[in-house]
Amino acid sequence: MGDHKEQPLRVGAAVRRRRRALDLTLAVVAERSGLSVPFLSQVENDRARPSRSSLEKVADALRTTAVELLAAADPACSVDVVRAEQAEPVTGPRVRSLVRGHHQMQASEFTGDHEAGREFQHRNDQLLYVADGAVEIEAEGRVHRLGRADSLYLTGGVRHRWRATEPDTRVLVVAVSEHIEAVEDRP
């Protein structure tokens, strides 16, 4: 369990990424493939699994191959354990992904400090949770000081920056993935 190599593949995200890379609508892909728009939408959202022949039709419409789409597919993990590293204590800044693969949710653990002056703006919503230590987060012209077990929610599009204010600070950042259209683009 939890080993991506043991899991069946979800091809929907690969189909969506390829379609968007070509700047095509579902209607165009449906016309080229002879498949319906609702079916293609279900495939992209992993609510339907295309047969081999349907996948080949989609691949042809996207000017690729079924093999390439399968190679770019995500494992269909319903349970995946990411274990803490068995290493020496962290002596500098570090980022560790807590969710593997290309999923609707991403989560990372930041230990120590990072580029404090770097400004972030994510397309989708995110939550910052202080597991240990303390941080200052500047968002929408205000500075928010957070300590252990505090969290801050940011709506997609909000420009922000943060910095650790204590050594050995650990911040968990959980967000809707950038490849998901959870919200409209904001100016």
Side-chain angles (χ1 to χ4, degrees):
M1 275 271 172
D3 185 350
H4 284 276
K5 292 174 178 54
E6 299 171 1
Q7 304 296 329
L9 297 176
R10 296 184 316 183
V11 74
V15 170
R16 181 184 303 111
R17 286 190 298 270
R18 176 69 180 171
R19 178 178 62 79
R20 287 181 179 165
L22 295 173
D23 201 27
L24 299 176
T25 65
L26 280 173
V28 169
V29 176
E31 183 180 320
R32 288 182 180 179
S33 67
L35 301 169
S36 71
V37 170
F39 175 71
L40 291 171
S41 176
Q42 289 179 341
V43 168
E44 283 193 2
N45 290 299
D46 290 314
R47 292 193 180 100
R49 292 177 93 186
S51 66
R52 182 71 182 187
S53 95
S54 291
L55 185 59
E56 288 173 3
K57 289 176 184 179
V58 170
D60 288 344
L62 296 173
R63 298 184 184 117
T64 189
T65 65
V67 172
E68 289 294 318
L69 288 175
L70 289 170
D74 297 327
C77 293
S78 57
V79 175
D80 187 29
V81 176
V82 177
R83 302 230 180 254
E85 297 170 351
Q86 303 295 321
E88 295 297 313
V90 176
T91 57
R94 180 184 68 157
V95 179
R96 181 172 74 105
S97 180
L98 301 175
V99 177
R100 292 185 281 209
H102 206 71
H103 298 287
Q104 293 183 7
M105 181 189 78
Q106 292 300 306
S108 299
E109 175 187 62
F110 292 83
T111 303
D113 211 345
H114 68 288
E115 296 178 51
R118 182 174 174 204
E119 185 174 72
F120 298 93
Q121 181 180 23
H122 300 283
R123 177 179 182 156
N124 294 323
D125 297 357
Q126 68 174 292
L127 175 79
L128 284 81
Y129 174 81
V130 180
D132 289 307
V135 298
E136 284 184 349
I137 302 171
E138 181 185 332
E140 296 195 325
R142 291 186 57 206
V143 174
H144 306 274
R145 289 175 178 79
L146 280 69
R148 186 178 177 284
D150 289 341
S151 65
L152 179 97
Y153 177 85
L154 296 165
T155 301
V158 172
R159 291 182 186 278
H160 62 283
R161 71 182 92 223
W162 65 274
R163 68 180 189 90
T165 58
E166 291 182 9
D168 302 322
T169 292
R170 284 188 318 128
V171 176
L172 306 181
V173 178
V174 180
V176 176
S177 293
E178 294 291 316
H179 71 279
I180 303 294
E181 289 187 42
V183 296
E184 304 260 336
D185 284 329
R186 294 183 175 95

